[in-house]
Amino acid sequence: MKLVFNLPHMLRLKAMSQPWEASVTGADQTRMAKCADQWGYDMIAVPEHFVIPGDHVELSGPHYLQSTVAQAYLAGATDRIQLNSCITVLPLQHPIVLAKALATADWMSSGRMMVTFGVGWLEREFELLGVPFHERGRIADEYLAAIIELWTSESPRFEGEYVSFDDIAFEPKPVQKPHLPIWIGGDADAALRRAAKYASGWWSFLTPPEQIAERLDFIKSQPSYDGRPFDVVHGLGTNRVGEGHTVREDPHSRPGMSAAELVHGLSWLGEQGVSVSAVPLPPVTCVDEYLDYAQWVIEDVKPQLP
């Protein structure tokens, strides 16, 4: 089981965030990322929204980074850890610009970038950026195909409804081949079919953990899935967040579980097909207390995982 390092103050969800996180600075995050890198965490993942409509702020919070910028910064502050997003809202970004940003960061980090693409869910966010919300799935599929073409072809060309290009050069290519890992976030059938066609991983959010194995079988049953290695992500605290960032009670994902409880929960997720997970932020009061806990997880919990 690979472990994601939960970096505090990536967001301020009512369902998961603790009061002390709001005071965490970028300098604090840099120090924590360096520790996670040194201790052996496998990944840091950055959430993304561009704007939060006023009627969603209570549940969603106002604080989100631009995922690719944050990933690139964190890559520069670390040496070995993988940098992912959870998620990058694909339809809201021009695919040529986004492909360039991700390829640049992968090239400069010697191949440590990843990306988890999602189609988004906040309709008002799409309205503000002038992107048709109800076409976001079709836009995402086209953008994905265009990005892969830019990353892998020596003479990229693409003809689509939303983006077209021909007779161009595009470098640097990603260091990782055939390109940096693409994962797909979401739970609808369309997201899973997208994962089967384009991705090497699926980040589940609203799927109940007892249904993950069934949904993974659905992905691998798609004609477009070619048997490539495939990761599944589900954090132990994920079930505390419902649709639209609503608050859900889940006794199996509470903060501050014992080592035995964490090992049991993570091992059970592994039996469902989960290969990447994270533990809930503990009930602490400051960065140093959190770092003590995070080091304990690596030293006492991770060695017991299958």
Side-chain angles (χ1 to χ4, degrees):
M1 178 73 71
K2 295 179 181 179
L3 287 183
V4 178
F5 178 78
N6 273 329
L7 192 57
H9 208 193
M10 290 280 98
L11 38 64
R12 296 204 296 268
L13 288 185
K14 183 177 182 179
M16 300 180 72
S17 297
Q18 300 176 33
W20 67 273
E21 292 183 62
S23 65
V24 170
T25 66
D28 293 329
Q29 290 177 334
T30 304
R31 178 163 70 96
M32 287 187 280
K34 288 177 181 290
C35 289
D37 187 44
Q38 176 186 344
W39 293 336
Y41 277 89
D42 299 287
M43 182 186 302
I44 295 172
V46 182
E48 175 178 271
H49 279 291
F50 293 97
V51 292
I52 299 296
D55 57 356
H56 279 279
V57 171
E58 181 185 358
L59 292 176
S60 299
H63 178 88
Y64 292 85
L65 306 179
Q66 202 281 342
S67 60
T68 308
V69 173
Q71 288 173 252
Y73 173 82
L74 292 169
T78 55
D79 295 315
R80 47 153 296 277
I81 199 166
Q82 294 289 115
L83 291 312
N84 200 349
S85 60
C86 64
I87 55 158
T88 294
V89 188
L90 180 57
L92 296 181
Q93 305 179 67
H94 196 286
I96 296 176
V97 177
L98 183 56
K100 175 66 74 171
L102 288 165
T104 298
D106 195 59
W107 190 81
M108 297 194 75
S109 67
S110 300
R112 291 190 289 125
M113 291 289 286
M114 306 173 63
V115 64
T116 302
F117 286 133
V119 300
W121 60 275
L122 271 175
E123 186 167 357
R124 179 62 176 152
E125 187 176 23
F126 279 71
E127 292 174 1
L128 290 166
L129 289 166
V131 177
F133 179 75
H134 297 290
E135 298 175 33
R136 67 194 188 282
R138 296 200 306 275
I139 294 171
D141 286 333
E142 190 171 299
Y143 282 9
L144 260 171
I147 287 170
I148 292 172
E149 173 70 8
L150 290 164
W151 283 347
T152 59
S153 175
E154 291 305 315
S155 301
R157 58 184 302 161
F158 189 86
E159 184 68 33
E161 179 181 356
Y162 301 101
V163 61
S164 299
F165 47 81
D166 190 9
D167 192 26
I168 62 170
F170 181 93
E171 289 189 17
K173 303 294 187 187
V175 170
Q176 301 176 82
K177 301 302 179 187
H179 50 72
L180 59 95
I182 294 172
W183 292 358
I184 297 296
D187 304 275
D189 285 357
L192 272 58
R193 285 191 290 267
R194 194 170 294 120
K197 184 174 183 179
Y198 294 107
S200 57
W202 166 49
W203 200 307
S204 65
F205 294 104
L206 298 176
T207 298
E210 62 272 15
Q211 295 178 16
I212 286 175
E214 174 188 341
R215 300 301 276 161
L216 180 57
D217 287 341
F218 176 82
I219 292 172
K220 293 185 174 181
S221 72
Q222 300 304 303
S224 55
Y225 176 69
D226 58 7
R228 74 192 84 98
F230 199 87
D231 281 303
V232 177
V233 193
H234 191 89
L236 269 183
T238 299
N239 297 332
R240 294 158 59 198
V241 185
E243 188 168 1
H245 292 164
T246 54
V247 180
R248 297 196 304 196
E249 295 296 329
D250 184 354
H252 301 294
S253 61
R254 70 186 187 282
M257 288 184 278
S258 68
E261 289 172 316
L262 291 173
V263 170
H264 174 76
L266 292 168
S267 298
W268 183 83
L269 284 176
E271 293 170 1
Q272 314 313 307
V274 173
S275 56
V276 183
S277 191
V279 304
L281 263 67
V284 297
T285 60
C286 65
V287 169
D288 286 332
E289 288 182 14
Y290 174 60
L291 286 174
D292 287 343
Y293 178 86
Q295 187 171 11
W296 170 77
V297 169
I298 283 291
E299 292 179 351
D300 289 15
V301 176
K302 190 173 184 182
Q304 301 183 58
L305 300 178

